[in-house]
Every structure is written in structure tokens, then in C-alpha cells.
Amino acid sequence: MRAKWLLVIAAVMAVTLGTAQTALADNNATGTVGAVQTGPVGVTPTADVSQAGATAAASVPVAVGGSGNNTATNSVGAVQAGGGNSSNDSTGSVQVSSVSASPSASAGASGSSASASVPVTVGGSGNNTASSSTGGVQIGGGNSSSGSAGVLQSGSPQASPTVGASIVGEAVSASAPVGVAGSGNSAADSVGAAQVGGGNTVTRSFLAAQSGAVTAGTTAGAGDTTTSAPVTVGGGGGGGTNSATDSVGTAQVGGGNTATGSTGTVQSGPVGGTPSVGSGPTATAASTPAASASTPAPASAAGAPSPGTRTSEGAPRQDRNTFGATKTPTGGARTLGQLPFTGLGLLLFVLLGLTLVATGFTARARTRLSV
């Protein structure tokens, strides 16, 4: 009875998704229960309003691409969208080809305007394949899961949120593009693997998180002033691959990382950042690299140690005086009867001391007479 209800629900969902756009791929389900298969899908909901000189508009275009056929064989609860997805002897697998969404909104009134957009794409090349797996989620293409449970695999995600406004002739804008590069993730005989970007391989491992090269380039501008703070987490060899074998609790970011028979390992590619600030139409932006391969040593001044040598901060120098000795200026006459370090006359302090002593005795005598 439950199997019949699953078949009815799967048929209704397939018809609903299929009406969005004509499918460009063939869907095949053999020996499968609860399969939802659809070709490329595209929708573009929009809304506009204009009243009393004010306007507003919004749109949310969403598309699921991909090419090739969707195939589900001897599987239970398979969801496939976009084309080029294959599920064999698997349970609870969700496979989606490249996805893109570009929601945007704008408004204007009384000479002022504002806009915002958040384009998001999940790319990737190749097909998604799930074999003898349970609870696998594959997005973007080029993902492979074999004999694994609880696997999340995603192609290269890209997001470029932007915001802009214009008020009284002054423009303000900000953007924060973020992306993860790479394509092709593989998980074999693993449990709890999360792979993002591509070039990630996990074999017989538990709780592995892998990500390709990450880039983030936040920028902001107001009038003639702009600032940016790009940050990158790259990998060796132009990106490289992340590999985890027979490991537990592995986190790898950036590419070019390898963990074998390890527990609780965290690995990252080189991290770089170059914040910059620029002002004026012809001004040169000033940048401050967060990390560099080498830092040139400044030219040594007279008497300063030459580059490549070390000096101790507490070591005495030849031009220092002995502790407690009075320093005599070069070329000046030696003056006696002065307090050390201050140069004040000693006779002045002697007279001051005698005056204070006499004042004390006088005050004491008057106190006794009054009593």
C-alpha cells in the first residue's frame, strides 16, 4: 500500500515539474520505487509596481540545466533534475545538474534609486553518479558516490551579491563575490562526507569535509572612494586535489591536501589577502598585502647593524656611560657642584633644605607656647 502511495506522489511531482519547461533529456526508471525525474527546468517570476512617481520591481529567475539522460535502477526514493544523473542500487538519492538563480530588486522615488541582486550558480561538468549509496545529495555535475552514506557533493558554487544606491547625485555601491573552484568529487565507502567545488576524493573515511580553492572579493565604493579586500585560499599546482583515505574527522580547504590513516586533521592551502583603498579619479590605490614571500630589509643607517646580523637589545654599546656617572657634553666645560642627571646647582637645594628645617622649628615652638 505504501509503495502505491509513493508511486502516486512521484507521478504528481514529475508532472508538476515537467510543466515548467519542455524536458530535453530522457528519463528511465527500472526496478525503482518513488522516483522523480525531470529534464532542464526554467522559471522567471517577476513583479512590478508604480504609483505616485515611485517604482519598484523584482524578479527571481531560476534555471536547472544539464544534458543527457536521467537513469534510476533498483533504487528507492530517487530525485533527479536537469539531466545526466544516474542512480543504481541506492536509497534516498537527490541529484541535480547545474543550477542558477538571479534574484534582483530595485526601487526609485524622487530622483533617488536603490537596487540589489544576488546571482548564485552551482556549476560543474559531467554526470552525477550514485551507486550502492544511502542519503546522497549531488548538485552541479561531476559527482560520484559509491558505497557511501550521508554524502553531500556540490560543483563549483559562485555568488555575487551586489547593492547600489543613488541619492542626490552621489552613488554608493557594494559587492561581495564569493566562489569555490573545481569540478569532480568522488566518495567511496565513506560516511558523512561533504565535498564542495571539485577535485575532492574521499575513500573509506568518516566525517570528511573537503573544499576546492576559495575566493572572496569584497568591494565598496562611495563617490570617488573605493575599497576592496580580496581573500583567496588556493592550492598547490593551480588548485590541486584534496584526498582523504582511511581517515576520521578530516577538514581540507584549498586543494593539494592529502590525509591517509589520520584522525582529526585540518589542512589548508596558502592564504592570501590584498586590501586596498583608492580615492579620486586619477589616484593610485594603496594596497596592503596580507602575506608575501619575502620582505626587503630597509637600508641601514650609520651605526645601525647591517642586514643579516642579530643584535641583543640589552647588550651595552661602546658609547654608553657607566651607570651613576655624570655625562659630560662633548666639547663643554666640566661643571662641579651639580646634581647628577639634572644639571641643577647643588647649593640651591642646600639652601632650600635649611629654609624648610628652620620653618619647621619655628612652627613647633609656636605650638608649645600656645599650649
Side-chain angles (χ1 to χ4, degrees):
M1 187 66 181
R2 180 176 297 177
K4 292 182 179 180
W5 277 108
L6 289 174
L7 289 174
V8 172
I9 295 173
V12 172
M13 293 184 66
V15 171
T16 303
L17 292 175
T19 56
Q21 181 173 315
T22 304
L24 301 179
D26 294 331
N27 301 310
N28 302 314
T30 303
T32 300
V33 177
V36 178
Q37 298 172 316
T38 179
V41 179
V43 293
T44 309
T46 60
D48 298 291
V49 63
S50 177
Q51 186 175 2
T55 61
S59 64
V60 188
V62 180
V64 180
S67 60
N69 302 331
N70 294 317
T71 303
T73 305
N74 300 326
S75 298
V76 177
V79 177
Q80 299 172 323
N85 302 302
S86 177
S87 175
N88 299 316
D89 299 319
S90 298
T91 302
S93 61
V94 178
Q95 299 171 315
V96 182
S97 299
S98 59
V99 181
S100 62
S102 301
S104 62
S106 61
S110 303
S112 301
S113 62
S115 62
S117 63
V118 189
V120 179
T121 61
V122 180
S125 59
N127 301 331
N128 294 316
T129 302
S131 177
S132 303
S133 299
T134 302
V137 178
Q138 299 171 322
I139 303 175
N143 302 303
S144 176
S145 175
S146 176
S148 300
V151 175
L152 170 61
Q153 298 173 315
S154 171
S156 55
Q158 307 287 332
S160 301
T162 59
V163 177
S166 177
I167 303 175
V168 194
E170 293 292 334
V172 179
S173 63
S175 63
V178 179
V180 180
S183 177
N185 299 304
S186 176
D189 302 322
S190 300
V191 177
Q195 299 172 317
V196 180
N200 303 304
T201 302
V202 58
T203 305
R204 296 184 304 275
S205 297
F206 178 72
L207 295 179
Q210 299 172 316
S211 171
V214 181
T215 59
T218 303
T219 61
D224 294 333
T225 303
T226 59
T227 62
S228 64
V231 178
T232 60
V233 181
T241 60
N242 296 312
S243 176
T245 304
D246 299 323
S247 299
V248 177
T250 301
Q252 299 171 322
V253 181
N257 304 303
T258 301
T260 303
S262 302
T263 301
T265 302
V266 178
Q267 298 172 316
S268 172
V271 181
T274 309
S276 63
V277 179
S279 178
T282 59
T284 303
S287 61
T288 306
S292 59
S294 62
T295 303
S300 59
S306 59
T309 61
R310 293 182 178 180
T311 60
S312 177
E313 182 66 23
R317 296 198 305 264
Q318 295 181 356
D319 58 346
R320 289 184 178 180
N321 296 311
T322 305
F323 179 77
T326 303
K327 183 176 180 180
T328 303
T330 305
R334 182 182 298 273
T335 304
L336 300 177
Q338 292 183 349
L339 291 176
F341 307 110
T342 63
L344 298 176
L346 182 60
L347 180 59
L348 175 63
F349 284 92
V350 172
L351 295 177
L352 180 61
L354 293 176
T355 302
L356 293 176
V357 170
T359 303
F361 278 114
T362 303
R364 184 177 179 183
R366 290 181 178 180
T367 302
R368 291 179 177 179
L369 292 175
S370 63
V371 172

